[in-house]
Amino acid sequence: MTAFTTASDSWEDLQTTAMLGTDRRPLPGLTGSPAFSAAAQAVDRTDAATALLELAALEAVRRRAGAVAAESGGLPGPAAPDPRRELPEAAARRLAVLVGGRSGAGMVANLGELLPQWLATARERDFRVPAALVPALLEAARARSELRADTVALAGPLGRWLAERNPDWRFVTRVAVEPGTPATGGEAPVPADPGDRIWQEGLFAERVTHLTRLRRSDPAAALDLLRGTWSTERAEDRLLFLDALQEGLSQLDEPFLEAALSDRSKNVRGTAAELLSTLPQSALATRMAARARAAVRLVRPATGAGVIRLAVSPPAECDAAMQRDGIPPKSPTGRGQRAWWFGEIIAAAPLDLWTADTGLTPEELLRLPVVDSDAGHDREGADHPGQAGSWADDLREGWARAAVRQHHVEWARALLGPSPGPGQAGGTAGAPAKLLAVLPSAEQAAWTAEFIDGHGLGEAFQLLGACATPWTPPLSTAVVAALERSARSGAYPWSHSGVLGMTERALAPETAPAVEALASGAAPDSAWADTFSRLASTLRFREAMLAELNG
């Protein structure tokens, strides 16, 4: 009995020649069977570049249709049984279209953007992919790492069986199926890290993914894993591994993070400080709270007839203790040094200290006037030579950064305020999209829909990106209405290309009739008619796709 394996040396030689150029590297000599060798020798090599392409085509045919015989130990055993229900026939046909990249009638949207949604939904329904489609699905995941977790789960034991026999799919053996999730193929969940194989042998992106997933199921084990190799990791790798600790962050991580404040990498030190600032009971948060109290105090009028104010007294220097806690001594933004130090302190201090110390709500604190404690009046350009500014702006921006960092819903809601009406600016110096991401998904959608009703889509791209997908019907309706206004105003579709790209995968399918009406009402053969027709087809495609999986 013989098995067949493909040799990769010839293909790699061709790739190397293509990257270096035929003027720097001679054409490789391809060998194989007598027929193949004769065909390779027959290639006209007068034009080296053309000859390289012809040899690549010849090698590609051999890789698909032929192989070098190798000794085999016998036929392998079958894949483990998969008791999950198989995909409905219509859903299987849809998957074939998605992985094949073919468009349906009138469908010109990017199908690759819809594949992640299909995979996530199919995995939630605990379906099994038909055996005939597993190779194509694995091949798609090989090219797109963001598809791998869902693909491996859906492919089940057959996918792992195939991966053991095809080195191109070896990523499957390094992707762990999380315990407690569907689509385990009837097998026991894959251990979090069998023999530390992923951590010790995986690619960097796979190690980061593995660490993140392990943090979700066993934060302590993930920390022990990272601690074991920490001293040998590169600085840029330590930074991203440290960032992965956001999953399941707790006081148990404090000793490790406190030690990382002394890391030789400035970026690692800064990330460790930022993580510690999200732990209200950490020693760093306590130190930052003390600095914040020294920098901002509530001033009540002596007689009760005056106005309550917040008096700001920013630090006069950035001492060694502040630097160890992640505050750079020099501003990287060009801001005045005292304003920079002040902002870093406010952003790292626990937000609850302000309401606890003053007895005021975030909304009440945000309405208070802010004065310079030394000058006794509102600052005008005191720390920004040549520019007007106020401590109120710095304080508000610091609070906004803290709300995002600490995922503080109450403060994020207060800082955002009501969605601004037409002609009104946003209520915070911080990026509204970042604050929006802190809110519950229903609030995100309602706030953004109101914003779009008043401002259109010109400034809505980042806000829409912060909203959970698929968008709610009210938000979807607001987006469609804004697109209609843009079309009527004479604007071109490509002025909203970013938003239109999101609509294909995020708009609620229920808006398809409204989009179809816009397509019918647009001038024939116009850019908007084409845009609306394409979007309507995509929405109908998604509607059918989800219905097939829900059936």
Side-chain angles (χ1 to χ4, degrees):
M1 176 67 65
T2 58
F4 294 95
T5 60
T6 58
S8 60
D9 292 347
S10 297
W11 188 253
E12 291 176 356
D13 286 343
L14 289 167
Q15 286 180 312
T16 302
T17 302
M19 287 189 291
L20 294 178
T22 53
D23 56 338
R24 297 176 59 191
R25 181 184 175 95
L27 292 172
L30 303 184
T31 60
S33 67
F36 177 82
S37 298
Q41 291 297 326
V43 171
D44 184 358
R45 305 196 177 211
T46 304
D47 184 340
T50 301
L52 178 64
L53 294 177
E54 292 184 1
L55 289 171
L58 188 62
E59 178 64 18
V61 171
R62 178 170 73 156
R63 284 163 62 88
R64 291 187 177 185
V68 177
E71 293 298 326
S72 171
L75 289 175
D82 191 340
R84 295 173 297 170
R85 55 179 178 153
E86 190 167 296
L87 277 172
E89 185 177 347
R93 288 197 299 269
R94 186 79 57 177
L95 176 60
V97 171
L98 289 169
V99 296
R102 302 188 301 276
S103 297
M107 175 73 169
V108 289
N110 184 358
L111 295 182
E113 293 297 319
L114 304 184
L115 182 56
Q117 187 175 119
W118 189 98
L119 293 174
T121 306
R123 183 178 181 181
E124 289 173 2
R125 304 294 184 271
D126 203 15
F127 281 120
R128 168 169 56 91
V129 172
L133 289 175
V134 171
L137 187 56
L138 294 177
E139 193 64 20
R142 181 172 73 92
R144 297 175 59 183
S145 60
E146 76 275 16
L147 304 179
R148 292 179 180 177
D150 287 335
T151 292
V152 171
L154 285 166
L158 177 59
R160 290 187 284 277
W161 186 92
L162 290 170
E164 291 171 357
R165 288 152 185 83
N166 186 344
D168 287 343
W169 300 333
R170 58 181 172 270
F171 68 85
V172 174
T173 64
R174 297 195 293 257
V175 175
V177 178
E178 296 177 49
T181 60
T184 56
E187 299 178 317
V190 176
D193 186 8
D196 289 346
R197 180 176 178 182
I198 302 171
W199 188 248
Q200 300 298 339
E201 301 176 9
L203 302 175
F204 174 70
E206 293 169 335
R207 297 178 74 209
V208 172
T209 300
H210 173 69
L211 185 66
T212 302
R213 288 191 182 139
L214 187 55
R215 285 288 292 185
R216 294 172 188 162
S217 59
D218 193 343
L223 181 62
D224 288 342
L225 197 66
L226 180 58
R227 186 185 285 115
T229 61
W230 181 255
S231 62
T232 63
E233 304 288 357
R234 300 181 304 168
E236 55 268 33
D237 294 349
R238 293 200 305 276
L239 179 63
L240 292 179
F241 288 143
L242 202 62
D243 197 51
L245 296 187
Q246 293 182 71
E247 289 282 350
L249 189 67
S250 71
Q251 290 297 140
L252 296 176
D253 301 308
E254 183 182 1
F256 178 79
L257 293 173
E258 187 73 25
L261 292 176
S262 301
D263 193 272
R264 56 187 179 275
S265 167
K266 178 181 67 175
N267 291 332
V268 170
R269 296 195 300 271
T271 300
E274 185 170 333
L275 290 173
L276 283 168
S277 70
T278 67
L279 297 173
Q281 305 303 317
S282 69
L284 181 138
T286 301
R287 296 192 294 268
M288 287 297 188
R291 294 176 183 126
R293 288 189 177 100
V296 182
R297 58 189 178 86
L298 187 70
V299 179
R300 300 182 185 273
T303 61
V307 178
I308 300 176
R309 297 186 173 193
L310 291 172
V312 172
S313 180
E317 64 174 344
C318 185
D319 57 31
M322 290 170 60
Q323 293 180 42
R324 184 179 184 277
D325 284 347
I327 301 178
K330 293 184 178 180
S331 168
T333 63
R335 297 173 63 187
Q337 301 288 46
R338 298 185 73 196
W340 165 253
W341 301 331
F342 175 72
E344 292 298 291
I345 289 172
I346 300 303
L351 283 167
D352 288 339
L353 84 88
W354 306 106
T355 51
D357 285 3
T358 65
L360 302 176
T361 66
E363 290 83 1
E364 290 170 335
L365 285 164
L366 288 166
R367 287 195 295 266
L368 295 180
V370 179
V371 299
D372 189 320
S373 180
D374 298 328
H377 53 74
D378 290 341
R379 184 192 68 174
E380 291 296 335
D383 204 36
H384 296 275
Q387 301 179 22
S390 73
W391 290 120
D393 292 338
D394 294 323
L395 182 59
R396 193 181 189 98
E397 182 180 348
W399 278 338
R401 290 170 57 199
V404 172
R405 185 182 295 182
Q406 299 169 32
H407 299 281
H408 203 298
V409 173
E410 185 181 5
W411 270 94
R413 186 181 294 125
L415 286 158
L416 273 173
S419 183
Q424 296 179 339
T428 178
K434 293 182 179 179
L435 289 169
L436 195 66
V438 177
L439 300 182
S441 57
E443 285 189 58
Q444 294 173 356
W447 196 96
T448 304
E450 189 175 347
F451 180 92
I452 290 173
D453 285 339
H455 295 264
L457 297 172
E459 303 172 37
F461 178 74
Q462 290 185 331
L463 298 176
L464 288 168
C467 292
T469 57
W471 297 332
T472 62
L475 177 55
S476 297
T477 299
V479 171
V480 172
L483 288 172
E484 180 181 13
R485 293 195 298 271
S486 294
R488 290 179 175 176
S489 71
Y492 292 104
W494 46 86
S495 63
H496 300 304
S497 58
V499 171
L500 285 167
M502 282 194 285
T503 60
E504 293 180 345
R505 61 182 182 275
L507 265 183
E510 295 89 332
T511 57
V515 177
E516 288 169 339
L518 293 179
S520 299
D525 299 324
S526 67
W528 277 110
D530 179 65
T531 297
F532 287 138
S533 294
R534 197 168 68 240
L535 178 56
S537 295
T538 303
L539 293 174
R540 290 299 188 189
F541 186 97
R542 285 178 51 220
E543 183 178 44
M545 177 181 84
L546 296 175
E548 292 160 358
L549 291 170
N550 291 330

